[in-house]
Amino acid sequence: MTALSLKPFVAALALGGAWALPPTAQADTGKLLLTGGVSTVSGPAGGGMVPWAVIGTQATEGEVGVTAHATRVGTLDYALASYGATVGVHDRVEVSVARQDFDAGAATALNAIAPFGVKPGARLKMDIVGVKVKLLGDAILEAHTLIPQIAVGVEHKRLQAGSLGSVLDFLGADRSGTDLYVSASKLLLDKGLLLTGTLRYTRANQNGLLGFGAAGPGRDGYSLQPEISVAYLLRRDLAIGAEYRFKPDNLRALGEAAGLGNGLQEDDWKDVFIAWAPHKSLSLTLAYVDLGRIVPGITRNKRQTGWYVSAQAGF
């Protein structure tokens, strides 16, 4: 991660409310249950890995809303904590901030390859500021049409590498970068499905936790990476689903040239999840995540599978 998160994504639950809830069950603000989504591990509203076209919080037109989230991801060799807040303005513009704290203790094994000076208990910290703007459509209110809700977004990320700074220098990776994306979300009302497709323009390694870009012969430029999220509504307050996020794998060629084989390979991310909304202002998510191999040269080529838990509260 994103080792990730990854938190799949209860906005779908709200969709259940769009046809299952009586008028008295609507949020006080006038927006139906959870139609503002939940916070991704990077901050924007959507799923744990994939931003959706929805605008976060319960705010409707003419209103401003706020949510806060806390997320924990644990895999075989790594752990990630994420927390932050999102502001939704008039159901049109969303501003998000997030801080990621990545436990990279396994990276001390790099000292056996070269004198990198990675200290025990090494951590990577990253600050993310995002803005999303809805362009057209409404995934909930216009469920009867073929037009999805479409939004564009930007995420600016700044990494604090600590004792892993020499590793980033070796990789030729920058410590800050910006992702651009466009998302389309569509509710299939008769099937109880919420579908989202996102196309991301990025040069981030492991979502930015290993910097941005790479020295030659690695890939240093931007590439387009698709992301997919599907949620199925079991009932108005409970959903299951899955996400798949393609990754750029910028560092592989550099690792091969350095004699590390696939030691710097970056795999796609995926998860399956269950999400529950006990109250209109609270959502809880549990997911099984598969983040593929993260620097497999120091983890004996193991896939980083594990669990993701997240909570979001709205105000």
Side-chain angles (χ1 to χ4, degrees):
M1 230 175 27
T2 102
L4 210 195
S5 85
L6 288 231
K7 154 182 74 172
F9 332 73
V10 190
L13 304 180
L15 308 180
W19 70 82
L21 290 180
T24 56
Q26 297 182 14
D28 293 340
T29 60
K31 184 181 267 190
L32 293 168
L33 176 68
L34 286 173
T35 50
V38 298
S39 299
T40 65
V41 72
S42 296
M49 290 184 285
V50 178
W52 294 357
V54 301
I55 300 300
T57 81
Q58 288 291 309
T60 58
E61 292 186 15
E63 298 176 334
V64 176
V66 179
T67 62
H69 80 272
T71 300
R72 176 78 177 179
V73 184
T75 68
L76 296 177
D77 295 288
Y78 303 103
L80 175 75
S82 174
Y83 53 91
T86 299
V87 177
V89 181
H90 301 174
D91 198 31
R92 174 66 60 177
V93 177
E94 173 190 290
V95 179
S96 61
V97 293
R99 159 62 69 94
Q100 295 182 350
D101 187 346
F102 184 61
D103 181 352
T108 54
L110 290 169
N111 295 331
I113 300 174
F116 287 116
V118 180
K119 296 180 180 179
R123 309 188 79 85
L124 294 162
K125 297 183 179 181
M126 186 163 65
D127 296 316
I128 306 171
V129 177
V131 177
K132 183 197 300 181
V133 178
K134 181 170 71 173
L135 297 183
L136 60 89
D138 192 301
I140 314 303
L141 299 181
E142 297 179 5
H144 58 288
T145 73
L146 296 177
I147 300 174
Q149 181 167 325
I150 297 176
V152 295
V154 57
E155 296 174 12
H156 181 70
K157 307 173 183 181
R158 184 169 296 276
L159 179 65
Q160 301 174 30
S163 66
L164 286 160
S166 59
V167 177
L168 293 183
D169 292 339
F170 166 75
L171 299 176
D174 295 333
R175 288 165 172 76
S176 65
T178 302
D179 287 1
L180 305 174
Y181 64 88
V182 57
S183 293
S185 295
K186 180 62 182 175
L187 171 63
L188 303 179
L189 189 63
D190 59 336
K191 296 179 175 60
L193 284 175
L194 178 69
L195 307 177
T196 294
T198 294
L199 191 61
R200 183 180 298 267
Y201 189 56
T202 182
R203 61 193 291 264
N205 309 318
Q206 298 294 350
N207 198 42
L209 288 167
L210 284 180
F212 305 84
R219 176 191 291 165
D220 191 54
Y222 280 83
S223 62
L224 288 171
Q225 302 295 325
E227 303 170 6
I228 301 167
S229 181
V230 179
Y232 176 69
L233 304 169
L234 297 173
R235 64 188 195 207
R236 69 188 186 202
D237 63 344
L238 189 67
I240 57 174
E243 294 188 309
Y244 196 102
R245 178 170 172 176
F246 290 85
K247 307 299 291 304
D249 200 14
N250 296 328
L251 302 173
R252 180 200 286 263
L254 174 61
E256 292 173 348
L260 301 176
N262 69 343
L264 296 179
Q265 177 177 323
E266 179 176 1
D267 292 333
D268 298 339
W269 290 346
K270 55 190 78 75
D271 72 75
V272 293
F273 67 86
I274 183 168
W276 177 46
H279 188 270
K280 65 176 180 286
S281 60
L282 178 65
S283 62
L284 305 171
T285 306
L286 174 66
Y288 174 77
V289 299
D290 180 350
L291 307 181
R293 288 159 288 189
I294 301 177
V295 194
I298 64 174
T299 58
R300 300 191 296 279
N301 218 40
K302 290 182 294 185
R303 298 190 70 85
Q304 297 303 312
T305 58
W307 295 96
Y308 163 97
V309 294
S310 182
Q312 176 180 287
F315 307 93

